[in-house]
Amino acid sequence: MLPRTLEALISDDLKEKMVFLSGPRQVGKTTVARAVLAKAVAGAYYSWDSREDRKSILGGVRPPPPALIVLDELHKFRSWKRWLKGEFDKHRTEYEFLVTGSARLDVYRKGGDSLQGRYHYRRLHPLSMMELGGQLPQRLPFEPLTFGSYDSGSEELLHQLLERGGFPEPFFASTARAQRRWHKERLERFFREDVRELELVRDLSSMEMLAEILPSRVGSPLSLNALREDLEVTHGAVNHWVDILERMYFLFRIPPFVARTVRSLKKEPKAYLWDWSLVTDPGARFENLVASHLLKLCHHLEDHEGYRAKLHYLRDRDGREVDFLVAVDKKPWFMVEAKLDDQAPSRHLHYFRERLNVPLAYQFIASPGHSFIKNGVHVVSASTALKEIA
């Protein structure tokens, strides 16, 4: 199995604080944790889902120090934060703590945080072009993006990512049947186990219908009112379900960038899926893959470099739109328009670049072998561009 690039970063973080590792179901969190544990001097793995491990956790059973303790699914323990705070404060000179699990870790992180200052937070993403090449993100804010030359190997990786998604098991599966079974079983477990166990959802079947609708809405402003009408439920119910799906890493939303110099949309975000292979429309799937790579870059800049990096889109009230804008500390860094095979730079890139003073503008296209600059816009094939981003 391909080593994940977060493994080395987590090992370094553990020398300073606890590490919380969050991300979508079956994206590889447990695999990463076990790989980090295998490289430690000593340690032990405990899962809250195991009865014996629960006894060990609550009974204070630990390996001899110094050692790394991996705690998987600990969030299912109601008092996990208070318990973990006590353990870390008491044993921080003897043990390192790596806590992994579902998005519930992220939910608690956003609330009142008694663990403040005691941990580093990491988000594990699906496989990306850069990670498949064995590289770590190196970009720093406001630097121009630099791209290497075209190679057929990168084009094949991009094709595989578009077809299979970035979750390790289906990506490396040997047959299409294995990929289909994985997707079916993952969604069933997601709703029947994760959602039911961690959230109060009275109408689970309608929430599943929402998840079936969302792939067709990828890349467009997400109207909760339209979803409410389609599902024939209340606005509050749809809003609650979308929040849950975002907290549990089924989807992510990117907001419009708001500025005084542009009559921007101010409310409706666009929605994308963590597993872009669920999106059937080729253009929307490609746009989702680009969004995922850009989000991974933003999360790396936040989790590792300490910047406030956010992914936005641009759209004004006259219908002009650019797919993505990466901003750092609320200042525009670069724009990206995603196209399947349109080599003519989007006119809207020029419009927003002038209005917002965006330093850099790019157009990523799915077709191979392109890299040229026209009217200040770098048009480049995604197979070349994405392997240099994240």
Short mmCIF file of all heavy atoms in Angstrom, two decimals, residues 256-318:
data_model
loop_
_atom_site.label_atom_id
_atom_site.label_comp_id
_atom_site.label_asym_id
_atom_site.label_seq_id
_atom_site.Cartn_x
_atom_site.Cartn_y
_atom_site.Cartn_z
N PRO A 256 -19.14 31.84 -1.36
CA PRO A 256 -18.71 32.89 -2.30
C PRO A 256 -17.78 33.87 -1.60
O PRO A 256 -17.89 34.09 -0.40
CB PRO A 256 -20.02 33.55 -2.71
CG PRO A 256 -20.95 33.30 -1.56
CD PRO A 256 -20.56 31.95 -1.01
N PHE A 257 -16.86 34.41 -2.37
CA PHE A 257 -15.97 35.44 -1.84
C PHE A 257 -16.69 36.78 -1.96
O PHE A 257 -17.16 37.15 -3.03
CB PHE A 257 -14.65 35.46 -2.61
CG PHE A 257 -13.63 36.40 -2.05
CD1 PHE A 257 -12.86 36.03 -0.96
CD2 PHE A 257 -13.43 37.66 -2.61
CE1 PHE A 257 -11.90 36.90 -0.43
CE2 PHE A 257 -12.49 38.53 -2.09
CZ PHE A 257 -11.72 38.15 -1.01
N VAL A 258 -16.77 37.50 -0.86
CA VAL A 258 -17.52 38.75 -0.82
C VAL A 258 -16.53 39.92 -0.76
O VAL A 258 -15.62 39.92 0.07
CB VAL A 258 -18.47 38.79 0.39
CG1 VAL A 258 -19.22 40.10 0.44
CG2 VAL A 258 -19.46 37.62 0.31
N ALA A 259 -16.73 40.90 -1.65
CA ALA A 259 -15.87 42.09 -1.67
C ALA A 259 -16.71 43.29 -2.07
O ALA A 259 -17.69 43.17 -2.79
CB ALA A 259 -14.72 41.90 -2.64
N ARG A 260 -16.30 44.45 -1.62
CA ARG A 260 -17.04 45.67 -1.91
C ARG A 260 -17.01 46.03 -3.39
O ARG A 260 -17.93 46.69 -3.89
CB ARG A 260 -16.46 46.84 -1.10
CG ARG A 260 -16.65 46.70 0.40
CD ARG A 260 -16.03 47.89 1.12
NE ARG A 260 -16.21 47.79 2.58
CZ ARG A 260 -15.73 48.67 3.43
NH1 ARG A 260 -15.04 49.72 3.00
NH2 ARG A 260 -15.93 48.51 4.74
N THR A 261 -15.97 45.62 -4.09
CA THR A 261 -15.82 46.00 -5.50
C THR A 261 -16.61 45.13 -6.46
O THR A 261 -16.59 45.36 -7.67
CB THR A 261 -14.33 45.96 -5.89
OG1 THR A 261 -13.81 44.66 -5.58
CG2 THR A 261 -13.54 47.03 -5.15
N VAL A 262 -17.28 44.11 -5.92
CA VAL A 262 -18.06 43.19 -6.74
C VAL A 262 -19.43 43.00 -6.11
O VAL A 262 -19.53 42.82 -4.89
CB VAL A 262 -17.34 41.82 -6.89
CG1 VAL A 262 -18.23 40.85 -7.66
CG2 VAL A 262 -16.01 41.98 -7.59
N ARG A 263 -20.47 43.03 -6.93
CA ARG A 263 -21.82 42.77 -6.43
C ARG A 263 -21.98 41.26 -6.28
O ARG A 263 -22.61 40.59 -7.09
CB ARG A 263 -22.87 43.35 -7.38
CG ARG A 263 -22.81 44.87 -7.50
CD ARG A 263 -23.71 45.43 -8.56
NE ARG A 263 -25.13 45.16 -8.26
CZ ARG A 263 -25.90 44.37 -8.99
NH1 ARG A 263 -25.42 43.74 -10.05
NH2 ARG A 263 -27.17 44.20 -8.68
N SER A 264 -21.39 40.72 -5.19
CA SER A 264 -21.28 39.28 -5.03
C SER A 264 -22.54 38.68 -4.44
O SER A 264 -23.31 39.34 -3.73
CB SER A 264 -20.09 38.95 -4.12
OG SER A 264 -18.91 39.54 -4.57
N LEU A 265 -22.72 37.37 -4.74
CA LEU A 265 -23.66 36.60 -3.95
C LEU A 265 -23.11 36.47 -2.54
O LEU A 265 -21.90 36.32 -2.35
CB LEU A 265 -23.85 35.20 -4.56
CG LEU A 265 -24.50 35.13 -5.94
CD1 LEU A 265 -24.56 33.69 -6.40
CD2 LEU A 265 -25.89 35.73 -5.92
N LYS A 266 -23.97 36.50 -1.55
CA LYS A 266 -23.47 36.53 -0.18
C LYS A 266 -23.85 35.32 0.65
O LYS A 266 -23.35 35.15 1.75
CB LYS A 266 -23.99 37.79 0.52
CG LYS A 266 -23.47 39.09 -0.07
CD LYS A 266 -23.94 40.30 0.71
CE LYS A 266 -23.38 41.58 0.13
NZ LYS A 266 -23.82 42.78 0.89
N LYS A 267 -24.73 34.44 0.12
CA LYS A 267 -25.22 33.39 0.99
C LYS A 267 -24.92 31.98 0.48
O LYS A 267 -24.25 31.21 1.15
CB LYS A 267 -26.73 33.55 1.20
CG LYS A 267 -27.10 34.79 2.00
CD LYS A 267 -28.61 34.84 2.25
CE LYS A 267 -28.98 36.07 3.08
NZ LYS A 267 -30.44 36.14 3.35
N GLU A 268 -25.43 31.64 -0.69
CA GLU A 268 -25.43 30.24 -1.10
C GLU A 268 -24.03 29.72 -1.40
O GLU A 268 -23.35 30.22 -2.31
CB GLU A 268 -26.34 30.04 -2.31
CG GLU A 268 -27.83 30.19 -1.98
CD GLU A 268 -28.70 29.87 -3.17
OE1 GLU A 268 -28.18 29.81 -4.29
OE2 GLU A 268 -29.92 29.68 -2.97
N PRO A 269 -23.58 28.71 -0.69
CA PRO A 269 -22.30 28.07 -1.02
C PRO A 269 -22.48 27.07 -2.16
O PRO A 269 -23.60 26.75 -2.55
CB PRO A 269 -21.93 27.36 0.28
CG PRO A 269 -23.27 26.97 0.84
CD PRO A 269 -24.22 28.10 0.49
N LYS A 270 -21.39 26.60 -2.68
CA LYS A 270 -21.42 25.47 -3.61
C LYS A 270 -20.99 24.22 -2.84
O LYS A 270 -20.17 24.29 -1.93
CB LYS A 270 -20.50 25.71 -4.81
CG LYS A 270 -20.97 26.83 -5.71
CD LYS A 270 -20.41 26.70 -7.14
CE LYS A 270 -18.92 26.87 -7.20
NZ LYS A 270 -18.44 26.88 -8.62
N ALA A 271 -21.54 23.09 -3.23
CA ALA A 271 -21.26 21.83 -2.53
C ALA A 271 -20.48 20.88 -3.43
O ALA A 271 -20.75 20.78 -4.64
CB ALA A 271 -22.56 21.17 -2.08
N TYR A 272 -19.53 20.19 -2.84
CA TYR A 272 -18.75 19.16 -3.52
C TYR A 272 -18.66 17.94 -2.61
O TYR A 272 -18.84 18.04 -1.40
CB TYR A 272 -17.34 19.67 -3.86
CG TYR A 272 -17.35 20.83 -4.82
CD1 TYR A 272 -17.37 22.15 -4.36
CD2 TYR A 272 -17.36 20.62 -6.20
CE1 TYR A 272 -17.39 23.22 -5.23
CE2 TYR A 272 -17.38 21.69 -7.08
CZ TYR A 272 -17.40 22.98 -6.60
OH TYR A 272 -17.43 24.03 -7.46
N LEU A 273 -18.36 16.79 -3.20
CA LEU A 273 -18.31 15.54 -2.44
C LEU A 273 -16.86 15.14 -2.18
O LEU A 273 -15.98 15.34 -3.02
CB LEU A 273 -19.01 14.42 -3.20
CG LEU A 273 -20.46 14.67 -3.63
CD1 LEU A 273 -21.03 13.40 -4.25
CD2 LEU A 273 -21.32 15.14 -2.47
N TRP A 274 -16.62 14.56 -1.00
CA TRP A 274 -15.30 14.02 -0.72
C TRP A 274 -15.00 12.84 -1.64
O TRP A 274 -13.85 12.62 -2.00
CB TRP A 274 -15.20 13.60 0.75
CG TRP A 274 -15.03 14.77 1.67
CD1 TRP A 274 -16.01 15.58 2.18
CD2 TRP A 274 -13.79 15.31 2.16
NE1 TRP A 274 -15.46 16.57 2.96
CE2 TRP A 274 -14.11 16.43 2.98
CE3 TRP A 274 -12.45 14.95 2.01
CZ2 TRP A 274 -13.13 17.18 3.63
CZ3 TRP A 274 -11.48 15.69 2.66
CH2 TRP A 274 -11.82 16.80 3.45
N ASP A 275 -16.01 12.09 -2.02
CA ASP A 275 -15.83 11.01 -2.99
C ASP A 275 -16.42 11.47 -4.32
O ASP A 275 -17.59 11.28 -4.60
CB ASP A 275 -16.52 9.74 -2.50
CG ASP A 275 -16.32 8.56 -3.45
OD1 ASP A 275 -15.56 8.71 -4.43
OD2 ASP A 275 -16.93 7.50 -3.22
N TRP A 276 -15.58 12.11 -5.15
CA TRP A 276 -16.08 12.68 -6.40
C TRP A 276 -16.50 11.62 -7.41
O TRP A 276 -17.19 11.94 -8.38
CB TRP A 276 -15.02 13.60 -7.00
CG TRP A 276 -13.71 12.94 -7.27
CD1 TRP A 276 -13.38 12.15 -8.34
CD2 TRP A 276 -12.52 13.02 -6.46
NE1 TRP A 276 -12.07 11.73 -8.24
CE2 TRP A 276 -11.53 12.26 -7.11
CE3 TRP A 276 -12.21 13.68 -5.26
CZ2 TRP A 276 -10.23 12.11 -6.59
CZ3 TRP A 276 -10.93 13.55 -4.74
CH2 TRP A 276 -9.95 12.76 -5.39
N SER A 277 -16.15 10.36 -7.19
CA SER A 277 -16.56 9.32 -8.14
C SER A 277 -18.07 9.09 -8.12
O SER A 277 -18.61 8.44 -9.01
CB SER A 277 -15.83 8.00 -7.85
OG SER A 277 -16.24 7.45 -6.61
N LEU A 278 -18.78 9.62 -7.11
CA LEU A 278 -20.24 9.51 -7.06
C LEU A 278 -20.91 10.48 -8.04
O LEU A 278 -22.11 10.36 -8.31
CB LEU A 278 -20.74 9.80 -5.65
CG LEU A 278 -20.30 8.83 -4.55
CD1 LEU A 278 -20.76 9.34 -3.19
CD2 LEU A 278 -20.85 7.44 -4.81
N VAL A 279 -20.15 11.45 -8.56
CA VAL A 279 -20.70 12.45 -9.47
C VAL A 279 -20.67 11.87 -10.89
O VAL A 279 -19.61 11.49 -11.38
CB VAL A 279 -19.89 13.76 -9.41
CG1 VAL A 279 -20.51 14.81 -10.32
CG2 VAL A 279 -19.80 14.26 -7.98
N THR A 280 -21.83 11.81 -11.55
CA THR A 280 -21.91 11.16 -12.86
C THR A 280 -21.58 12.09 -14.02
O THR A 280 -21.01 11.66 -15.01
CB THR A 280 -23.31 10.56 -13.08
OG1 THR A 280 -24.29 11.60 -12.92
CG2 THR A 280 -23.58 9.45 -12.06
N ASP A 281 -21.93 13.37 -13.92
CA ASP A 281 -21.65 14.30 -15.01
C ASP A 281 -20.14 14.52 -15.13
O ASP A 281 -19.48 14.88 -14.14
CB ASP A 281 -22.34 15.64 -14.75
CG ASP A 281 -22.05 16.65 -15.84
OD1 ASP A 281 -22.69 16.55 -16.89
OD2 ASP A 281 -21.18 17.52 -15.63
N PRO A 282 -19.54 14.31 -16.32
CA PRO A 282 -18.08 14.42 -16.46
C PRO A 282 -17.53 15.79 -16.08
O PRO A 282 -16.48 15.88 -15.42
CB PRO A 282 -17.84 14.11 -17.94
CG PRO A 282 -19.04 13.33 -18.38
CD PRO A 282 -20.18 13.87 -17.58
N GLY A 283 -18.20 16.86 -16.50
CA GLY A 283 -17.71 18.18 -16.18
C GLY A 283 -17.75 18.47 -14.69
O GLY A 283 -16.81 19.03 -14.12
N ALA A 284 -18.86 18.09 -14.04
CA ALA A 284 -19.00 18.31 -12.60
C ALA A 284 -18.02 17.45 -11.82
O ALA A 284 -17.47 17.89 -10.80
CB ALA A 284 -20.43 18.03 -12.17
N ARG A 285 -17.79 16.22 -12.29
CA ARG A 285 -16.83 15.36 -11.60
C ARG A 285 -15.42 15.94 -11.68
O ARG A 285 -14.68 15.94 -10.69
CB ARG A 285 -16.84 13.94 -12.19
CG ARG A 285 -15.87 13.00 -11.50
CD ARG A 285 -15.80 11.64 -12.14
NE ARG A 285 -17.02 10.87 -11.94
CZ ARG A 285 -17.10 9.54 -12.05
NH1 ARG A 285 -16.01 8.84 -12.34
NH2 ARG A 285 -18.25 8.92 -11.87
N PHE A 286 -15.04 16.43 -12.85
CA PHE A 286 -13.72 17.04 -12.99
C PHE A 286 -13.60 18.27 -12.11
O PHE A 286 -12.58 18.47 -11.43
CB PHE A 286 -13.48 17.41 -14.46
CG PHE A 286 -12.19 18.15 -14.69
CD1 PHE A 286 -10.97 17.55 -14.48
CD2 PHE A 286 -12.21 19.48 -15.11
CE1 PHE A 286 -9.78 18.23 -14.69
CE2 PHE A 286 -11.04 20.18 -15.32
CZ PHE A 286 -9.82 19.55 -15.11
N GLU A 287 -14.63 19.09 -12.08
CA GLU A 287 -14.62 20.28 -11.22
C GLU A 287 -14.49 19.87 -9.75
O GLU A 287 -13.77 20.52 -8.97
CB GLU A 287 -15.89 21.09 -11.44
CG GLU A 287 -15.94 22.40 -10.66
CD GLU A 287 -17.18 23.21 -10.94
OE1 GLU A 287 -17.71 23.14 -12.07
OE2 GLU A 287 -17.65 23.92 -10.01
N ASN A 288 -15.16 18.80 -9.36
CA ASN A 288 -15.10 18.31 -7.97
C ASN A 288 -13.69 17.85 -7.64
O ASN A 288 -13.17 18.12 -6.55
CB ASN A 288 -16.10 17.18 -7.79
CG ASN A 288 -16.46 16.89 -6.35
OD1 ASN A 288 -17.59 16.53 -6.03
ND2 ASN A 288 -15.49 17.03 -5.45
N LEU A 289 -13.05 17.15 -8.57
CA LEU A 289 -11.68 16.69 -8.33
C LEU A 289 -10.74 17.88 -8.14
O LEU A 289 -9.89 17.87 -7.24
CB LEU A 289 -11.22 15.82 -9.50
CG LEU A 289 -9.79 15.27 -9.43
CD1 LEU A 289 -9.73 13.84 -9.97
CD2 LEU A 289 -8.83 16.14 -10.24
N VAL A 290 -10.88 18.91 -8.96
CA VAL A 290 -10.06 20.12 -8.80
C VAL A 290 -10.34 20.77 -7.45
O VAL A 290 -9.41 21.18 -6.74
CB VAL A 290 -10.32 21.10 -9.96
CG1 VAL A 290 -9.60 22.43 -9.70
CG2 VAL A 290 -9.85 20.51 -11.28
N ALA A 291 -11.62 20.87 -7.09
CA ALA A 291 -11.99 21.45 -5.79
C ALA A 291 -11.32 20.70 -4.65
O ALA A 291 -10.83 21.30 -3.68
CB ALA A 291 -13.51 21.46 -5.62
N SER A 292 -11.30 19.37 -4.73
CA SER A 292 -10.72 18.56 -3.66
C SER A 292 -9.22 18.81 -3.53
O SER A 292 -8.69 18.86 -2.41
CB SER A 292 -10.99 17.08 -3.93
OG SER A 292 -12.38 16.81 -3.91
N HIS A 293 -8.53 18.95 -4.65
CA HIS A 293 -7.10 19.23 -4.59
C HIS A 293 -6.83 20.61 -3.98
O HIS A 293 -5.90 20.78 -3.18
CB HIS A 293 -6.49 19.15 -5.99
CG HIS A 293 -6.19 17.76 -6.45
ND1 HIS A 293 -7.17 16.84 -6.74
CD2 HIS A 293 -5.00 17.12 -6.65
CE1 HIS A 293 -6.61 15.70 -7.11
NE2 HIS A 293 -5.29 15.84 -7.07
N LEU A 294 -7.63 21.59 -4.36
CA LEU A 294 -7.44 22.93 -3.81
C LEU A 294 -7.78 22.98 -2.32
O LEU A 294 -7.11 23.67 -1.54
CB LEU A 294 -8.30 23.93 -4.57
CG LEU A 294 -7.93 24.13 -6.05
CD1 LEU A 294 -8.94 25.03 -6.74
CD2 LEU A 294 -6.52 24.71 -6.19
N LEU A 295 -8.82 22.25 -1.91
CA LEU A 295 -9.15 22.19 -0.49
C LEU A 295 -8.02 21.53 0.30
O LEU A 295 -7.70 21.95 1.42
CB LEU A 295 -10.45 21.42 -0.29
CG LEU A 295 -10.95 21.34 1.16
CD1 LEU A 295 -11.43 22.70 1.65
CD2 LEU A 295 -12.08 20.31 1.30
N LYS A 296 -7.43 20.50 -0.27
CA LYS A 296 -6.31 19.83 0.40
C LYS A 296 -5.15 20.79 0.60
O LYS A 296 -4.49 20.78 1.65
CB LYS A 296 -5.87 18.61 -0.42
CG LYS A 296 -4.85 17.74 0.28
CD LYS A 296 -4.60 16.46 -0.51
CE LYS A 296 -3.65 15.53 0.24
NZ LYS A 296 -3.45 14.25 -0.47
N LEU A 297 -4.88 21.63 -0.40
CA LEU A 297 -3.84 22.65 -0.25
C LEU A 297 -4.17 23.61 0.88
O LEU A 297 -3.31 23.92 1.72
CB LEU A 297 -3.68 23.42 -1.56
CG LEU A 297 -2.78 24.66 -1.52
CD1 LEU A 297 -1.34 24.28 -1.19
CD2 LEU A 297 -2.85 25.43 -2.83
N CYS A 298 -5.42 24.07 0.93
CA CYS A 298 -5.83 25.01 2.00
C CYS A 298 -5.70 24.36 3.37
O CYS A 298 -5.22 24.99 4.32
CB CYS A 298 -7.27 25.47 1.76
SG CYS A 298 -7.48 26.56 0.33
N HIS A 299 -6.12 23.12 3.50
CA HIS A 299 -6.02 22.44 4.79
C HIS A 299 -4.56 22.22 5.19
O HIS A 299 -4.23 22.28 6.38
CB HIS A 299 -6.78 21.12 4.75
CG HIS A 299 -8.26 21.30 4.81
ND1 HIS A 299 -9.16 20.25 4.70
CD2 HIS A 299 -9.02 22.41 4.98
CE1 HIS A 299 -10.40 20.71 4.80
NE2 HIS A 299 -10.33 22.01 4.97
N HIS A 300 -3.71 21.94 4.22
CA HIS A 300 -2.28 21.80 4.55
C HIS A 300 -1.71 23.11 5.06
O HIS A 300 -0.97 23.13 6.05
CB HIS A 300 -1.50 21.34 3.32
CG HIS A 300 -0.02 21.31 3.53
ND1 HIS A 300 0.62 20.31 4.23
CD2 HIS A 300 0.96 22.19 3.16
CE1 HIS A 300 1.91 20.54 4.28
NE2 HIS A 300 2.15 21.69 3.64
N LEU A 301 -2.07 24.21 4.41
CA LEU A 301 -1.58 25.51 4.86
C LEU A 301 -2.10 25.85 6.24
O LEU A 301 -1.40 26.50 7.04
CB LEU A 301 -1.99 26.60 3.86
CG LEU A 301 -1.29 26.57 2.50
CD1 LEU A 301 -1.93 27.56 1.55
CD2 LEU A 301 0.21 26.84 2.65
N GLU A 302 -3.31 25.44 6.57
CA GLU A 302 -3.87 25.69 7.90
C GLU A 302 -3.28 24.75 8.94
O GLU A 302 -2.80 25.19 9.99
CB GLU A 302 -5.39 25.51 7.86
CG GLU A 302 -6.13 26.63 7.15
CD GLU A 302 -7.63 26.54 7.35
OE1 GLU A 302 -8.16 25.41 7.33
OE2 GLU A 302 -8.27 27.59 7.54
N ASP A 303 -3.31 23.44 8.67
CA ASP A 303 -2.92 22.45 9.68
C ASP A 303 -1.41 22.39 9.89
O ASP A 303 -0.95 22.14 11.01
CB ASP A 303 -3.42 21.05 9.27
CG ASP A 303 -4.93 20.97 9.20
OD1 ASP A 303 -5.60 21.89 9.69
OD2 ASP A 303 -5.45 19.97 8.65
N HIS A 304 -0.63 22.63 8.84
CA HIS A 304 0.83 22.47 8.95
C HIS A 304 1.56 23.80 9.04
O HIS A 304 2.49 23.94 9.85
CB HIS A 304 1.35 21.68 7.75
CG HIS A 304 2.81 21.33 7.85
ND1 HIS A 304 3.29 20.43 8.78
CD2 HIS A 304 3.90 21.77 7.16
CE1 HIS A 304 4.60 20.32 8.66
NE2 HIS A 304 5.00 21.13 7.69
N GLU A 305 1.14 24.76 8.23
CA GLU A 305 1.88 26.02 8.18
C GLU A 305 1.28 27.10 9.08
O GLU A 305 1.93 28.12 9.34
CB GLU A 305 1.92 26.55 6.72
CG GLU A 305 2.60 25.60 5.74
CD GLU A 305 4.10 25.50 5.95
OE1 GLU A 305 4.64 26.33 6.71
OE2 GLU A 305 4.73 24.60 5.36
N GLY A 306 0.04 26.93 9.52
CA GLY A 306 -0.57 27.89 10.43
C GLY A 306 -1.20 29.10 9.79
O GLY A 306 -1.53 30.07 10.48
N TYR A 307 -1.40 29.06 8.46
CA TYR A 307 -2.07 30.17 7.78
C TYR A 307 -3.59 29.99 7.86
O TYR A 307 -4.10 28.88 8.05
CB TYR A 307 -1.66 30.23 6.30
CG TYR A 307 -0.23 30.64 6.07
CD1 TYR A 307 0.73 29.68 5.75
CD2 TYR A 307 0.16 31.96 6.15
CE1 TYR A 307 2.06 30.04 5.52
CE2 TYR A 307 1.48 32.33 5.91
CZ TYR A 307 2.42 31.36 5.61
OH TYR A 307 3.72 31.73 5.38
N ARG A 308 -4.32 31.06 7.64
CA ARG A 308 -5.77 31.00 7.50
C ARG A 308 -6.08 30.98 6.00
O ARG A 308 -6.22 32.03 5.37
CB ARG A 308 -6.44 32.19 8.18
CG ARG A 308 -6.32 32.18 9.70
CD ARG A 308 -7.08 33.34 10.31
NE ARG A 308 -6.52 34.62 9.86
CZ ARG A 308 -7.08 35.79 10.08
NH1 ARG A 308 -8.25 35.87 10.72
NH2 ARG A 308 -6.50 36.91 9.67
N ALA A 309 -6.14 29.80 5.45
CA ALA A 309 -6.35 29.63 4.01
C ALA A 309 -7.76 29.10 3.76
O ALA A 309 -8.19 28.14 4.40
CB ALA A 309 -5.31 28.66 3.44
N LYS A 310 -8.47 29.72 2.84
CA LYS A 310 -9.85 29.35 2.56
C LYS A 310 -10.09 29.22 1.06
O LYS A 310 -9.51 29.96 0.26
CB LYS A 310 -10.82 30.40 3.13
CG LYS A 310 -10.72 30.59 4.65
CD LYS A 310 -11.08 29.32 5.40
CE LYS A 310 -10.96 29.53 6.91
NZ LYS A 310 -11.19 28.26 7.65
N LEU A 311 -10.96 28.29 0.73
CA LEU A 311 -11.36 28.09 -0.66
C LEU A 311 -12.73 28.72 -0.88
O LEU A 311 -13.67 28.47 -0.12
CB LEU A 311 -11.40 26.59 -0.98
CG LEU A 311 -11.74 26.21 -2.43
CD1 LEU A 311 -10.72 26.78 -3.39
CD2 LEU A 311 -11.81 24.68 -2.56
N HIS A 312 -12.85 29.54 -1.91
CA HIS A 312 -14.09 30.24 -2.25
C HIS A 312 -14.41 30.02 -3.72
O HIS A 312 -13.61 29.47 -4.48
CB HIS A 312 -13.95 31.75 -2.02
CG HIS A 312 -13.67 32.15 -0.61
ND1 HIS A 312 -14.66 32.43 0.31
CD2 HIS A 312 -12.49 32.33 0.05
CE1 HIS A 312 -14.11 32.77 1.46
NE2 HIS A 312 -12.79 32.72 1.33
N TYR A 313 -15.59 30.50 -4.11
CA TYR A 313 -15.87 30.69 -5.53
C TYR A 313 -16.29 32.13 -5.74
O TYR A 313 -16.56 32.86 -4.78
CB TYR A 313 -16.93 29.70 -6.03
CG TYR A 313 -18.37 30.01 -5.66
CD1 TYR A 313 -19.22 30.67 -6.55
CD2 TYR A 313 -18.90 29.61 -4.43
CE1 TYR A 313 -20.54 30.93 -6.23
CE2 TYR A 313 -20.21 29.86 -4.10
CZ TYR A 313 -21.04 30.52 -5.00
OH TYR A 313 -22.35 30.78 -4.67
N LEU A 314 -16.31 32.55 -7.00
CA LEU A 314 -16.67 33.93 -7.34
C LEU A 314 -17.91 33.92 -8.22
O LEU A 314 -17.98 33.19 -9.21
CB LEU A 314 -15.52 34.60 -8.11
CG LEU A 314 -14.22 34.82 -7.32
CD1 LEU A 314 -13.09 35.20 -8.26
CD2 LEU A 314 -14.41 35.90 -6.27
N ARG A 315 -18.87 34.74 -7.84
CA ARG A 315 -20.06 34.91 -8.67
C ARG A 315 -20.73 36.22 -8.30
O ARG A 315 -20.95 36.50 -7.12
CB ARG A 315 -21.04 33.75 -8.48
CG ARG A 315 -22.23 33.82 -9.45
CD ARG A 315 -23.08 32.59 -9.35
NE ARG A 315 -24.18 32.63 -10.31
CZ ARG A 315 -25.06 31.66 -10.47
NH1 ARG A 315 -24.98 30.56 -9.75
NH2 ARG A 315 -26.03 31.77 -11.36
N ASP A 316 -21.03 37.03 -9.32
CA ASP A 316 -21.72 38.28 -9.03
C ASP A 316 -23.19 38.17 -9.44
O ASP A 316 -23.63 37.15 -9.99
CB ASP A 316 -21.03 39.47 -9.69
CG ASP A 316 -21.10 39.45 -11.21
OD1 ASP A 316 -21.86 38.64 -11.79
OD2 ASP A 316 -20.39 40.25 -11.86
N ARG A 317 -23.94 39.23 -9.18
CA ARG A 317 -25.38 39.20 -9.42
C ARG A 317 -25.73 39.26 -10.91
O ARG A 317 -26.89 39.07 -11.27
CB ARG A 317 -26.05 40.35 -8.66
CG ARG A 317 -25.87 40.23 -7.15
CD ARG A 317 -26.57 41.35 -6.41
NE ARG A 317 -26.28 41.26 -4.98
CZ ARG A 317 -26.96 40.49 -4.13
NH1 ARG A 317 -27.97 39.76 -4.58
NH2 ARG A 317 -26.64 40.47 -2.85
N ASP A 318 -24.74 39.51 -11.75
CA ASP A 318 -24.97 39.51 -13.19
C ASP A 318 -24.62 38.17 -13.84
O ASP A 318 -24.64 38.06 -15.06
CB ASP A 318 -24.15 40.62 -13.84
CG ASP A 318 -24.58 42.00 -13.35
OD1 ASP A 318 -25.80 42.23 -13.24
OD2 ASP A 318 -23.70 42.83 -13.03
#
